[in-house]
């Protein structure tokens, strides 16, 4: 119904007509027919590797389609690069911030665009600033436009990118995972910006992993799987589970896996822990068989706690007790000796040696287990890697292929397998499912649940509230480098945890 | 060939070759054989087993250094100080002997100075987080300066006859002693690099030092060890050099760093780190050294050598960076 009304009232802006893109013998997408109307927000969902980014790159001109063509304003167009797309009015806002950190907000908003001039061709700085200020105010951002971009938060940086897109007279804005590094409240703010874009007749192509956002702001949802378009329907006709089914291509019984597990003795006791200005005065206890969450906003000092416990960062205050004994871990090797393992936040830069094979990544932290005299016993290593890969169900590439050939979700499983290879008593997980598709997510939850059931202690840092609510026995909430609250599972509710993290008080009796 | 397989896995996507299914090392080996045949045909009287073996005496020293340079370049580092350190080693041996130390002890002291120099490079690089290019450029001047200061532009050459054993002895009158040592060292380096955790760490640091640290690799210790190993090899090379030319002087080993880097890069190690093999380096050593040997046998002026090194270095870098593009 909604679609009918939108087509009749709004005009067709641009379209992909039977677009396919091949890279060598890999078919990245095939037969994509996608129409974008003015004033419409279209979600593109799909697992990693489903072709979401290929489709959007074909649209804004980074890739030229192998077959089919792009249509803009009813005419076939051929973009020879992103700047052609931008001139036509299609602007991409990538997932990671794409600003020049040392340059001011104004400079960023005018980057690559025709600037107002004065005498002798000098830039009209006043006009540039005025325009930048106008655009930002429209988006509800009131910062000094001469601030260097590096001082902006991730959320405000996003808004500056939107402002730049508007400045380029964008009629189509492609947003790739715009909320990936935003907090709940910033997400809320971004949504209102998206809605205002919609009101001013801009079309938004919204690529996301978070299905709740699809229903929050999008009019239509396009599902991609294995490079093909599986469905294209108004969100009012969709359900979360229906979308998931289409994305995965098989029914997903349950995303979160949680069995009852017994909570045993204290294995880790942290008291008054601090590290420079990153965080101070953090105290908590972690028990055998417990999944303890650390919730909070990005930059609240959570990863820094993980790094300190893992021996990567200097402890400047407080004590850490392992099984009741004070320990002074000052290196990763020390953490390993005490049975602590970690899955770091960034798998590509911190978790993996990308050109190494899957096998060599899996065994990388535990090579000394496979020694024959002073050499690596490769047959023992192969056998171990094979079992480990089976256990965490790594699919998509052979054990001898470079790990970079795997999708994000499978790469993450490799990082988990590497940490598990040392059989850690305490496992620290930092954003274990960020940027991971649903299939891999559910697999990772199954692994976490299994660990807790076997009596391992799990410390899980996560910005995804759902994950914390579903998986943890207890959660700590961090804000601005301090531990502000702690909740038992029976007291869990998204409102209280969310507001504790954001530092606002709400009536908790609701 | 297990070596080939693991080579592919470690160096992953950054590794390719221009000649279809053959590995780069194999291609270099074929080029080397072709080169020897060509030189033998073009230059009458060049080919003889005795002659080819004798020629190795000229390049065994740079061979020692190239082996260790392979490790350093794989970690993403570089060592410009090796030629200067070799001079310092040589001068240490000569002048401590002249000052009254027994020659055996003086030789040992020379090797120790080599290890100390290499370790210094490693420590300054890792603990002050400085780029090895700058650090070793500094020690390049430092070591050479000390060598010149100690020797005072003088040379020591009154060694006893037995000292020639390191650089002039030949097994069966054919095989130079230092060549045998080089072959043993090459095998040890190959085992170290491709069969031990240490070798795996060396590659990993070259690809991503931070991820290696997060994975529990003592990256600083491994890096210092790699530079210390270089020091040891420079010590050995310095000993052989002093014995071969039977003289210790401050200008020994001039330009050696350049030759060693050219050899390693021609052998397939990317200068950005993460890739490279010992056998590739060995092939690079043979090709470059016999090219120079053939040319000098043919009577080409000696200073063409530097030109060749320069070309080889650029060609090597070009191939390493572009092979993967050709493949695509």
């Amino acid at each position: 119904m909604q679609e009918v009304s939108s087509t009749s009232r709004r005009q067709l802006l641009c379209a992909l007509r039977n677009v396919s893109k091949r890279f060598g013998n890999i078919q990245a997408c095939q037969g994509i027919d996608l129409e974008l109307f003015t004033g419409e927000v279209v979600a593109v969902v799909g697992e990693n590797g489903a072709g979401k980014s290929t489709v959007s790159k074909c649209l804004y001109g980074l890739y030229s389609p192998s077959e089919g063509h792009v249509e803009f304003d009813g005419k076939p167009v051929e973009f020879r690069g992103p700047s052609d797309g931008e001139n036509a009015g299609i602007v991409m806002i990538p997932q990671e911030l794409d600003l020049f950190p040392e340059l001011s907000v104004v400079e960023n908003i005018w980057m690559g665009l025709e600037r107002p001039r004065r005498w002798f061709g000098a830039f009209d700085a006043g006009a540039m600033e005025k325009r930048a200020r106008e655009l930002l105010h429209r988006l509800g951002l009131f910062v000094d436009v001469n601030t260097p971009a590096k001082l902006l938060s991730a959320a405000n940086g996003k808004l500056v990118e939107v402002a730049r897109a508007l400045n380029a007279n964008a009629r189509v804005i492609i947003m790739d995972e715009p909320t990936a590094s935003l907090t709940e409240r910033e997400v809320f703010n971004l949504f209102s910006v998206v809605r205002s874009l919609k009101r001013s007749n801009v079309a938004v192509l919204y690529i996301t992993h978070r299905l709740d956002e699809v229903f929050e702001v999008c009019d239509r949802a396009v599902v991609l799987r294995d490079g093909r378009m599986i469905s294209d329907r108004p969100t009012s006709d969709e359900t979360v589970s229906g979308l998931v089914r289409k994305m995965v291509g098989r029914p997903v019984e349950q995303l979160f896996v949680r069995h009852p597990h017994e909570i045993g003795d204290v294995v880790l006791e942290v008291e008054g822990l601090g590290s420079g200005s990153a965080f101070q005065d953090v105290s908590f206890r972690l028990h055998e068989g417990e999944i303890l969450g650390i919730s909070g906003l990005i930059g609240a000092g959570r990863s820094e706690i993980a790094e300190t416990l893992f021996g990567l960062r200097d402890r400047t205050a407080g004590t850490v007790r392992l099984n009741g004994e004070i320990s002074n871990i000052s290196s990763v090797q020390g953490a390993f000796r005490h049975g602590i393992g970690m899955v770091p936040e960034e798998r590509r830069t911190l978790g993996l040696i990308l050109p190494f094979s899957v096998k060599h990544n899996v065994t990388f932290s535990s090579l000394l287990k496979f020694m024959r005299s002073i050499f690596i016993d490769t047959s023992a290593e192969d056998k171990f890697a094979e079992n480990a890969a089976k256990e965490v169900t790594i699919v998509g590439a052979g054990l001898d292929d470079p790990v970079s050939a795997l999708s994000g979700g499978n790469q993450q499983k490799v990082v988990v397998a590497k940490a598990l290879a040392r059989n850690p008593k305490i496992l620290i997980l930092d954003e274990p499912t960020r940027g991971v598709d649903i299939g891999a997510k559910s697999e990772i939850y199954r692994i976490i649940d299994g660990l807790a059931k076997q009596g391992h202690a799990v410390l899980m840092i996560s910005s995804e509230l759902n994950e914390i609510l579903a998986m943890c026995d207890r959660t700590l909430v961090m804000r601005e480098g301090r531990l502000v609250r702690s909740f038992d599972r029976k007291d869990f509710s998204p409102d209280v945890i969310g507001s504790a993290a954001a530092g606002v008080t709400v009536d908790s009796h609701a | 060939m297990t070596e080939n397989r693991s080579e592919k896995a470690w160096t992953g996507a950054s590794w390719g070759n221009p000649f279809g299914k053959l590995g780069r090392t194999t291609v270099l080996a074929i080029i080397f054989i072709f080169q020897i045949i060509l030189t033998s045909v073009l230059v009458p009287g060049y080919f003889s087993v005795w002659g080819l073996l004798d020629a190795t005496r000229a390049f065994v020293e740079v061979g020692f250094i190239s082996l260790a340079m392979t490790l350093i370049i794989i970690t993403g580092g570089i060592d410009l100080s090796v030629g200067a350190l070799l001079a310092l080693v040589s001068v240490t041996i000569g002048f401590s002997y002249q000052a009254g130390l027994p020659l055996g002890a003086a030789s040992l002291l020379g090797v120790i100075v080599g290890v100390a120099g290499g370790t210094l490079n490693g420590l300054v690089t890792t603990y002050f987080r400085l780029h090895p290019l700058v650090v070793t450029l500094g020690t390049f001047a430092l070591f050479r300066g000390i060598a010149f200061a100690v020797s005072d532009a003088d040379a020591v050459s009154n060694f006893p006859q037995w000292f020639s054993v390191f650089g002039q002895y030949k097994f069966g009158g054919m095989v130079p002693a230092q060549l045998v040592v080089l072959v043993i060292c090459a095998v040890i380096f190959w085992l170290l690099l491709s069969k031990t955790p240490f070798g795996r760490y060396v590659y990993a640091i070259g690809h991503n030092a931070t991820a290696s640290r997060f994975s529990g690799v003592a990256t600083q210790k491994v890096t210092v060890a790699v530079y210390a190993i270089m020091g040891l090899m420079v010590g050995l090379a310095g000993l052989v050099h002093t014995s071969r030319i039977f003289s210790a002087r401050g200008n020994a080993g001039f330009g050696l760093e350049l030759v060693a880097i050219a050899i390693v890069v021609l052998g397939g190690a990317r200068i950005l780190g993460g890739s490279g093999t010992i056998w590739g380096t060995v092939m690079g050593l043979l090709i470059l050294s016999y090219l120079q040997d053939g040319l000098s046998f043919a009577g080409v002026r000696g200073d063409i050598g530097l030109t060749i090194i320069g070309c080889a270095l650029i060609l090597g870098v070009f191939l390493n960076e572009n092979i993967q593009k050709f493949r695509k």
Side-chain angles (χ1 to χ4, degrees):
Chain A
M1 180 201 93
Q2 196 181 347
E3 196 182 28
V4 176
S5 69
S6 67
T7 39
S8 55
R9 209 152 30 85
R10 292 158 180 175
Q11 57 183 144
L12 179 62
L13 196 53
C14 69
L16 295 173
R17 301 287 183 205
N18 195 26
V19 162
S20 302
K21 180 70 189 170
R22 293 177 69 84
F23 296 100
N25 44 18
I26 296 164
Q27 186 80 48
C29 70
Q30 199 170 7
I32 305 291
D33 271 301
L34 175 64
E35 296 185 324
L36 275 177
F37 294 88
T38 54
E40 152 179 80
V41 182
V42 178
V44 179
V45 295
E47 292 195 283
N48 283 343
K52 300 189 296 284
S53 59
T54 310
V55 168
S56 69
K57 283 170 185 168
C58 286
L59 183 62
Y60 78 91
L62 187 64
Y63 295 161
S64 57
S66 315
E67 280 167 55
H69 65 271
V70 181
E71 215 176 86
F72 197 82
D73 270 342
K75 288 183 291 275
V77 286
E78 200 180 319
F79 295 143
R80 262 182 244 101
S83 57
D84 284 1
E86 205 164 286
N87 290 337
I90 306 179
V91 181
M92 168 80 180
I93 298 181
Q95 181 176 350
E96 301 297 331
L97 274 190
D98 200 20
L99 298 172
F100 293 82
E102 300 296 334
L103 295 184
S104 68
V105 170
V106 204
E107 282 294 334
N108 273 291
I109 286 179
W110 284 97
M111 188 53 67
L113 306 176
E114 186 68 35
R115 298 168 181 218
R117 307 253 179 187
R118 297 170 74 179
W119 344 279
F120 306 118
F123 295 145
D124 186 344
M128 281 167 65
E129 281 181 25
K130 186 159 168 271
R131 173 77 178 147
R133 223 171 280 126
E134 275 168 20
L135 289 166
L136 290 176
H137 289 184
R138 237 174 92 190
L139 302 174
L141 181 61
F142 299 89
V143 293
D144 177 4
V145 291
N146 289 310
T147 318
K150 64 179 175 188
L151 298 180
L152 298 177
S153 67
N156 288 347
K158 241 339 131 198
L159 293 181
V160 170
E161 289 185 328
V162 175
R164 185 189 166 275
L166 292 176
N167 201 20
N169 296 316
R171 297 168 65 197
V172 178
I173 297 181
I174 304 168
M175 293 186 173
D176 189 1
E177 301 262 359
T179 59
S181 50
L182 304 194
T183 62
E184 305 264 331
R185 176 183 286 200
E186 292 165 339
V187 168
F188 183 77
N189 190 16
L190 186 78
F191 285 168
S192 60
V193 166
V194 170
R195 289 192 195 97
S196 80
L197 291 174
K198 196 174 138 173
R199 276 193 299 277
S200 50
N201 270 337
V202 173
V204 178
L205 195 68
Y206 194 96
I207 302 171
T208 186
H209 266 123
R210 298 187 177 172
L211 295 183
D212 46 338
E213 297 178 357
V214 172
F215 294 93
E216 189 94 15
V217 282
C218 302
D219 305 309
R220 206 146 48 89
V222 169
V223 182
L224 296 179
R225 188 173 79 227
D226 304 327
R228 289 166 193 277
M229 223 163 107
I230 299 299
S231 90
D232 176 5
R233 294 170 65 189
T235 46
S236 50
D237 297 355
E238 295 278 11
T239 61
V240 172
S241 59
L243 280 183
V244 170
R245 216 168 10 249
K246 285 185 231 171
M247 283 163 59
V248 185
R250 58 191 152 80
V252 173
E253 314 80 59
Q254 211 188 341
L255 180 57
F256 297 106
V257 186
R258 191 183 147 89
H259 291 92
H261 41 254
E262 240 170 77
I263 293 182
D265 299 338
V266 175
V267 284
L268 171 73
E269 190 176 355
V270 171
E271 223 179 275
L273 190 66
S275 174
S277 60
F279 64 90
Q280 299 88 34
D281 201 21
V282 169
S283 306
F284 63 87
R285 290 172 175 189
L286 178 65
H287 303 77
E288 277 174 4
E290 182 182 39
I291 305 176
L292 176 63
I294 303 186
S295 190
L297 308 183
I298 285 159
R302 300 170 302 163
S303 298
E304 287 80 357
I305 293 183
E307 285 169 12
T308 310
L309 293 175
F310 199 50
L312 284 162
R313 177 181 273 274
D314 288 339
R315 180 169 49 93
T316 52
T319 55
V320 176
R321 281 195 174 79
L322 288 160
N323 298 315
E325 280 175 36
I326 288 190
S327 77
N328 286 309
I329 294 170
S330 59
S331 68
V332 176
Q333 296 89 300
F336 278 167
R337 273 196 300 277
H338 285 91
I340 302 177
M342 179 159 95
V343 173
E345 194 178 4
E346 300 274 339
R347 67 179 157 270
R348 295 177 65 82
T349 54
L350 307 178
L352 296 169
I353 310 289
L354 285 173
F356 269 23
S357 65
V358 173
K359 174 173 78 190
H360 286 164
N361 270 291
V362 168
T363 59
F364 190 53
S365 286
S366 46
L367 281 177
L368 298 181
K369 269 175 142 173
F370 315 108
M371 299 299 284
R372 202 168 46 197
S373 71
I374 58 162
F375 299 117
I376 301 169
D377 180 349
T378 45
S379 64
E381 188 193 5
D382 287 1
K383 205 178 290 166
F384 181 88
E386 208 170 300
N387 284 332
K390 223 174 276 167
E391 205 154 295
V392 301
T393 62
I394 294 165
V395 288
L399 285 176
D400 289 317
D401 292 326
V403 76
S404 53
L406 291 173
S407 68
N410 280 296
Q411 286 183 358
Q412 186 71 0
K413 290 185 215 163
V414 173
V415 183
V416 172
K418 179 176 74 173
L420 293 185
R422 297 196 60 93
N423 195 23
K425 281 180 298 203
I426 299 171
L427 183 62
I428 305 169
L429 302 161
D430 195 353
E431 304 285 2
T433 65
R434 174 182 291 175
V436 157
D437 58 68
I438 289 188
K441 253 187 190 176
S442 128
E443 195 60 43
I444 289 167
Y445 295 138
R446 185 188 61 79
I447 295 165
I448 296 174
D449 179 63
L451 284 173
K453 219 163 62 179
Q454 289 165 33
H456 297 258
V458 178
L459 189 63
M460 184 168 86
I461 297 169
S462 174
S463 302
E464 276 193 46
L465 214 43
N466 287 336
E467 191 167 281
I468 295 269
L469 296 174
M471 297 299 299
C472 295
D473 298 295
R474 214 152 47 87
T475 190
L476 313 171
V477 181
M478 293 278 300
R479 178 160 50 84
E480 291 166 8
R482 285 174 192 281
L483 212 163
V484 286
R485 292 283 297 271
S486 136
F487 297 94
D488 281 330
R489 187 169 180 81
K490 60 176 170 30
D491 303 322
F492 278 6
S493 95
D495 303 349
V496 251
I497 296 178
S499 49
V504 290
T505 44
V506 292
D507 297 328
S508 51
H509 64 263
Chain B
M1 250 182 92
T2 49
E3 195 251 334
N4 227 358
R5 213 184 82 209
S6 35
E7 164 185 296
K8 224 174 246 162
W10 291 346
T11 51
S14 64
W15 186 265
N17 71 73
F19 301 91
K21 294 211 183 308
L22 295 177
R24 170 141 179 175
T25 307
T26 320
V27 173
L28 288 175
I30 293 168
I31 291 175
F32 170 60
I33 292 166
F34 184 70
Q35 173 195 344
I36 292 294
I37 294 172
L38 193 72
T39 323
S40 304
V41 171
L42 291 179
V43 189
Y46 176 71
F47 185 83
S48 77
V49 176
W50 187 89
L52 291 181
L53 283 172
D54 188 59
T56 60
R57 299 196 315 131
F59 64 74
V60 162
E61 292 140 30
V62 75
F64 285 131
I65 291 169
S66 304
L67 291 177
M69 190 69 87
T70 311
L71 260 60
I72 289 186
I73 288 184
I74 292 173
T75 63
I78 196 135
D79 191 340
L80 299 180
S81 71
V82 291
L85 186 56
L86 183 132
L88 185 58
V89 168
S90 183
V91 163
T92 305
I93 295 172
F95 283 81
S96 61
Y97 169 66
Q98 199 179 43
L101 209 63
L103 189 50
S107 303
L108 187 65
L109 184 64
V111 176
I112 290 171
V113 164
V115 175
T119 310
L120 177 74
N121 282 333
L123 288 174
V124 173
T125 302
T126 54
Y127 288 96
F128 297 116
R129 292 174 196 203
L130 301 176
H131 196 285
L133 188 79
V134 190
V135 172
T136 59
L137 193 62
T139 53
F140 162 87
L142 176 72
F143 296 155
R144 183 73 73 186
I146 299 174
F148 276 136
V150 169
S151 63
D152 199 12
D154 203 2
V156 174
S157 25
N158 57 339
F159 297 112
Q161 192 51 42
W162 70 263
F163 186 61
S164 66
V165 67
F166 300 117
Q168 294 175 36
Y169 181 76
K170 287 186 175 182
F171 291 105
M174 287 274 278
V175 186
Q178 64 264 46
L179 177 65
V180 176
V181 180
L182 178 67
V183 171
I184 293 171
C185 283
V187 171
I188 292 174
F189 270 81
W190 167 65
L191 289 171
L192 187 69
L193 199 50
S194 61
K195 307 283 179 205
T196 67
F198 179 81
R200 190 93 46 100
Y201 298 156
V202 166
Y203 281 102
I205 290 172
H207 283 306
N208 187 338
T210 316
S212 305
R213 202 160 65 93
F214 271 72
S215 302
V217 178
T219 51
Q220 294 194 329
K221 284 181 191 158
V222 172
T223 309
V224 173
V226 164
Y227 283 88
I229 289 171
M230 174 59 104
L232 177 66
M233 297 317 280
V234 174
L236 263 182
L239 178 61
V240 170
H241 180 82
T242 314
S243 164
R244 180 168 65 87
I245 65 167
F246 229 58
S247 151
R249 54 178 79 232
N251 62 357
F254 229 95
L256 207 53
E257 56 286 331
L258 193 61
V259 183
I261 293 166
I263 286 167
V264 174
V265 169
L266 187 67
R270 288 189 67 201
I271 204 76
L272 296 175
S275 73
T277 60
I278 288 299
W279 299 128
T281 295
V282 168
M283 285 304 145
L285 173 69
L286 291 176
I287 289 175
L288 270 189
S289 308
Y290 277 105
L291 190 59
Q292 279 183 307
D293 181 54
L295 287 171
S296 70
F297 192 89
V300 179
R301 278 177 51 185
D303 38 8
I304 195 100
L306 198 59
T307 319
I308 293 172
I309 298 294
C311 294
L313 185 54
I314 293 171
L315 179 74
V317 172
F318 177 78
L319 287 179
N320 291 345
E321 299 308 315
N322 289 288
I323 278 170
Q324 29 177 341
K325 285 180 206 154
F326 291 148
R327 274 192 138 186
K328 277 175 192 162

